[in-house]
Amino acid sequence: MNEFANLLSAFVKEKGVKIQPFARYCGYDRANMYKILKGQRNLPGREIVEKAVKYMHLLPSEEEKLWEAYEISAQGSDNYYRRKEVQKFFTEPILSSNVNITALTEGEPAKFGILNNESIPLRGGYEIDAALFRLIGEESRNKDGHLRLMIQPESNSLSSILSVHGNYACNTRIDHIVCLSSNPENVYRKKNYNLDCLRCVLPLYNYNYDYNTWYYYSKIPVQEKKFGLFPYMVLSSKYACVLTADMQKGYITAKPEILRICEEIFEECLEESKPMIRRLTDLDEQFEVTGKILKNKDQVQSFQMTPCLTPVLTEQIYEKYLKKELPGREKLIQTLYTYGEEIKRSDIQYVTSLEGIKRFLKTGIISEWPPELYDPLEMDDRIQLIKDLIFSDNGINIRILKKTVGNFDAEIYLCVSREYGILKFIVPEKQMQLHLVLEETGLLFSFFDFCENLSTEQIFSSSEEIESFLENWQLSEKVLF
């Protein structure tokens, strides 16, 4: 039996539902209803589920469980939970970290401040956190600091310690090796493990670190805790700290010969690892990576809640709104125009939201552009661009969500193929945009699959429905086309 049949049968039994009238209400005969309850028929249509919910007078929580069971049965368990995790990725804050190291200061415990050519055993989370706090704090203030981490990113204490020191760091280089699941399409404990790793490391790109992530594959859970002696290590220029997998035992040492051995081991592992994320620092790099994505023969997915307007921007728009005092303005206009023409020739499926369209119509802000490059668009141009994007016969493949996914003030933008991907984040605290390149194939698959398989319940099914909504909005805002 599938999950839906199991739960539906349980509700029927729990609520004492008579099969004959229940089947008749749902449009089935008795025999076919029994087959549905035993999972011997294909899933019924969504309208049948809605009828079942009404007939059995399900509570909101029960209805939610029934719909979840329906989706799990329709999509498959792994697909359902993976897509759910991707939606959670877009919905929950990413570039913030829950810092909880209030009990530690740089002087506690004192023995770590006087560590010289000796090794100190560590027992329990407090001693380990204190040692890491001291080690990372000293190295992050070193102008030529270099931290080497071989530890899983879901370690909350390590992430919090790095966050504490991150705003004061001197662009310290961090090389962080993590283990990803060798079966990335599957879920572990109803979570996509690789996506969870990505969610854990992303906040560290928001601090004053030269942060670099690397990965290798293994089975998840990573190691049996009792048999992997010291699988984790954190290295600075002065100290080596090695830890058990449960981060409850270990030792820290300043002995140069041990530090050298640990560095050699780390470098050997680094050679066998691959880049997980790469940060883009300028427009040229962004254009280069986007070009690689567009050259892919498969379809490209663009996911952002404010509409992507690049395929309908004209040279006249660039000329009119790019700030006059920009250095190299004419060259930038030509580059943007050429880039836009390449976008138009590409097979891209755009996903945006009605609230995002409304936001653009109200503000005139083009989300693809850094705000320092241009002035907000005038109303007439805003309206024309939305018309060109949605209603013109220009071959643009766009799907519009009824409900926004995520937060406009900290929006996440995605452009992904099966080989490359770019994630762009708005960082409101720093008033900046952060561009990251994804290269790990399992993560690319998760994002691409999510965009490709958005539920028909989430999107508007016809341009007429969209047009009707916009007409009503125009009337309410007293804006006329």
Side-chain angles (χ1 to χ4, degrees):
M1 291 176 69
N2 57 52
E3 294 240 5
F4 174 75
N6 280 335
L7 188 56
L8 184 61
S9 297
F11 282 145
V12 166
K13 183 177 180 180
E14 176 187 328
K15 297 179 182 296
V17 174
K18 304 291 186 183
I19 298 299
Q20 184 70 39
F22 179 48
R24 189 181 305 116
Y25 182 83
C26 293
Y28 288 103
D29 58 33
R30 183 187 179 95
N32 279 316
M33 179 55 75
Y34 271 119
K35 288 180 179 179
I36 289 174
L37 293 173
K38 293 178 180 179
Q40 295 173 353
R41 276 190 55 141
N42 292 336
L43 281 176
R46 301 183 71 89
E47 69 282 357
I48 303 301
V49 183
E50 291 170 358
K51 285 185 176 183
V53 167
K54 290 179 182 178
Y55 188 87
M56 293 188 291
H57 302 105
L58 295 186
L59 299 175
S61 59
E62 294 172 330
E63 180 181 356
E64 184 179 346
K65 288 179 181 178
L66 188 63
W67 278 115
E68 181 174 60
Y70 182 86
E71 292 298 339
I72 290 171
S73 300
Q75 301 177 35
S77 179
D78 284 353
N79 286 337
Y80 173 79
Y81 286 111
R82 183 180 61 251
R83 292 164 189 168
K84 186 176 180 179
E85 283 293 294
V86 174
Q87 178 140 346
K88 179 181 175 183
F89 178 89
F90 285 111
T91 303
E92 295 186 352
I94 294 292
L95 295 182
S96 61
S97 185
N98 295 322
V99 178
N100 186 22
I101 306 292
T102 53
L104 296 177
T105 67
E106 288 198 38
E108 294 187 20
K111 63 181 179 180
F112 299 122
I114 59 173
L115 183 64
N116 197 3
N117 291 339
E118 58 178 316
S119 300
I120 297 179
L122 305 171
R123 288 182 177 273
Y126 176 78
E127 287 195 358
I128 288 171
D129 287 350
L132 293 178
F133 192 87
R134 185 72 187 188
L135 181 156
I136 291 170
E138 285 188 11
E139 196 70 10
S140 64
R141 286 162 175 75
N142 183 346
K143 186 177 68 172
D144 300 315
H146 187 186
L147 289 164
R148 298 172 175 89
L149 315 177
M150 188 180 294
I151 187 169
Q152 290 307 96
E154 66 264 31
S155 166
N156 292 329
S157 59
L158 178 66
S159 297
S160 296
I161 292 168
L162 287 166
S163 300
V164 167
H165 295 297
N167 289 321
Y168 310 102
C170 300
N171 202 34
T172 306
R173 180 177 177 87
I174 299 179
D175 287 304
H176 188 175
I177 300 175
V178 302
C179 176
L180 296 182
S181 170
S182 57
N183 193 1
E185 294 184 18
N186 286 345
V187 295
Y188 173 64
R189 294 178 180 174
K190 297 185 178 180
K191 286 189 173 184
N192 182 296
Y193 185 81
N194 292 357
L195 191 63
D196 213 36
C197 286
L198 176 65
R199 186 185 291 111
C200 291
V201 302
L202 283 176
L204 297 175
Y205 285 90
N206 191 30
Y207 295 103
N208 298 330
Y209 295 120
D210 177 13
Y211 184 60
N212 304 275
T213 47
W214 310 81
Y215 72 93
Y216 66 96
Y217 291 120
S218 184
K219 292 182 178 180
I220 300 298
V222 182
Q223 300 186 35
E224 288 292 335
K225 293 180 180 179
K226 293 185 181 295
F227 295 97
L229 184 60
F230 290 123
Y232 296 160
M233 62 180 171
V234 178
L235 310 177
S236 70
S237 56
K238 290 174 60 177
Y239 305 124
C241 183
V242 296
L243 303 166
T244 55
D246 61 2
M247 293 194 64
Q248 292 300 305
K249 298 182 181 70
Y251 70 87
I252 185 170
T253 181
K255 291 183 177 180
E257 60 273 22
I258 296 180
L259 179 58
R260 280 196 298 272
I261 290 173
C262 289
E263 287 175 343
E264 288 173 9
I265 294 171
F266 185 92
E267 292 302 319
E268 289 170 2
C269 293
L270 191 63
E271 287 182 10
E272 299 296 321
S273 303
K274 298 178 182 178
M276 179 175 168
I277 303 172
R278 181 161 53 90
R279 185 171 182 171
L280 300 178
T281 57
D282 57 47
L283 276 175
D284 288 338
E285 280 189 299
Q286 293 170 34
F287 289 144
E288 179 185 349
V289 174
T290 306
K292 289 180 180 179
I293 295 174
L294 297 179
K295 288 177 182 177
N296 193 286
K297 294 181 180 179
D298 293 328
Q299 188 178 62
V300 174
Q301 300 285 345
S302 169
F303 185 94
Q304 58 184 69
M305 294 299 95
T306 48
C308 177
L309 296 167
T310 299
V312 293
L313 294 176
T314 63
E315 199 166 2
Q316 290 74 25
I317 291 289
Y318 296 130
E319 184 64 48
K320 184 175 181 180
Y321 292 104
L322 285 181
K323 290 186 180 295
K324 305 299 181 186
E325 64 274 16
L326 282 175
R329 184 176 184 272
E330 293 305 316
K331 181 180 178 181
L332 178 60
I333 289 174
Q334 189 56 47
T335 300
L336 289 171
Y337 177 72
T338 303
Y339 171 69
E341 291 300 301
E342 186 175 357
I343 290 280
K344 292 175 186 178
R345 293 190 294 268
S346 302
D347 181 13
I348 303 176
Q349 178 172 268
Y350 297 94
V351 179
T352 188
S353 72
L354 277 174
E355 285 300 317
I357 290 172
K358 287 169 59 177
R359 191 178 180 92
F360 168 69
L361 289 170
K362 286 181 179 179
T363 65
I365 293 174
I366 299 175
S367 59
E368 297 99 290
W369 294 1
E372 65 272 13
L373 292 185
Y374 70 102
D375 298 312
L377 276 62
E378 297 170 1
M379 182 57 73
D380 288 346
D381 289 324
R382 301 177 202 175
I383 293 169
Q384 188 58 52
L385 287 176
I386 293 300
K387 280 184 174 181
D388 292 343
L389 186 67
I390 299 175
F391 304 118
S392 295
D393 186 19
N394 50 20
I396 295 176
N397 182 2
I398 184 168
R399 295 193 290 173
I400 301 177
L401 299 180
K402 296 178 179 179
K403 186 177 179 181
T404 297
V405 177
N407 179 3
F408 285 115
D409 294 328
E411 190 174 355
I412 301 175
Y413 304 81
L414 172 72
C415 181
V416 63
S417 70
R418 297 186 186 275
E419 295 183 11
Y420 292 95
I422 293 180
L423 281 171
K424 184 178 80 171
F425 298 86
I426 302 297
V427 188
E429 295 85 357
K430 295 189 175 182
Q431 296 185 335
M432 61 173 284
Q433 296 180 352
L434 180 62
H435 295 78
L436 302 174
V437 181
L438 290 179
E439 300 184 57
E440 197 277 318
T441 55
L443 293 171
L444 294 172
F445 171 83
S446 295
F447 285 117
F448 192 95
D449 170 78
F450 171 78
C451 295
E452 192 175 41
N453 291 283
L454 283 168
S455 166
T456 55
E457 299 299 306
Q458 295 175 279
I459 61 177
F460 280 85
S461 57
S462 68
S463 59
E464 291 79 11
E465 193 175 6
I466 302 165
E467 190 167 12
S468 173
F469 178 91
L470 290 176
E471 286 174 356
N472 291 334
W473 178 82
Q474 292 168 96
L475 290 174
S476 67
E477 295 292 319
K478 296 182 180 179
V479 177
L480 298 177
F481 275 117

